Amino acid sequence: MSAMTYKGYAARIEYSDEDNLFVGHIAGIRDVVGFHGESVQELRATFEEAVDDYLDTCAKLNRQPQKPYSGKLSLRLEPELHATVAVRAELAHKSINQWVADVLSRETRT
């Protein structure tokens, strides 16, 4: 399954049985931006409208919109684990960064 995306933003979507609606929020930012719809088409339209409105509101307030995750991740590891990761990366002919990214990518596929 792939995420609903627009202008670099992704949607986190849930279903409200009580309201009989799909309810979504822009994922990966601290600002709370929500939207909803009764159908996938309506949900997509309100998601795109919410992103556009968020960007417009930030511009009017002369404030930088929050960006989804940058792709940079800093980890603190025990020295022994760091050494193990370094060896495994070297044996795979990869940088530590690429090896870790590959492992995490495999582990997060569902």
Side-chain angles (χ1 to χ4, degrees):
M1 183 183 300
S2 61
M4 187 178 289
T5 60
Y6 179 67
K7 294 187 177 180
Y9 291 90
R12 184 188 49 165
I13 301 165
E14 298 172 358
Y15 177 72
S16 171
D17 193 42
E18 181 180 320
D19 299 319
N20 200 32
L21 289 172
F22 294 104
V23 179
H25 291 88
I26 296 177
I29 62 174
R30 289 182 309 281
D31 288 331
V32 178
V33 181
F35 52 94
H36 62 273
E38 293 182 2
S39 67
V40 173
Q41 294 79 8
E42 186 177 345
L43 188 69
R44 171 159 294 285
T46 59
F47 169 52
E48 292 178 4
E49 182 180 313
V51 170
D52 289 338
D53 185 57
Y54 174 66
L55 296 174
D56 290 344
T57 299
C58 287
K60 287 176 187 172
L61 296 173
N62 199 27
R63 178 181 151 225
Q64 286 293 319
Q66 293 176 1
K67 298 288 182 187
Y69 298 106
S70 68
K72 296 178 184 178
L73 177 66
S74 178
L75 299 172
R76 297 194 188 280
L77 306 173
E78 295 294 325
E80 297 80 17
L81 180 56
H82 189 172
T84 300
V85 168
V87 168
R88 289 195 179 188
E90 184 177 344
L91 291 173
H93 303 287
K94 297 178 179 180
S95 68
I96 290 175
N97 187 66
Q98 186 58 58
W99 186 84
V100 169
D102 290 349
V103 168
L104 291 175
S105 180
R106 276 195 311 270
E107 289 297 317
T108 57
R109 283 188 213 136
T110 54

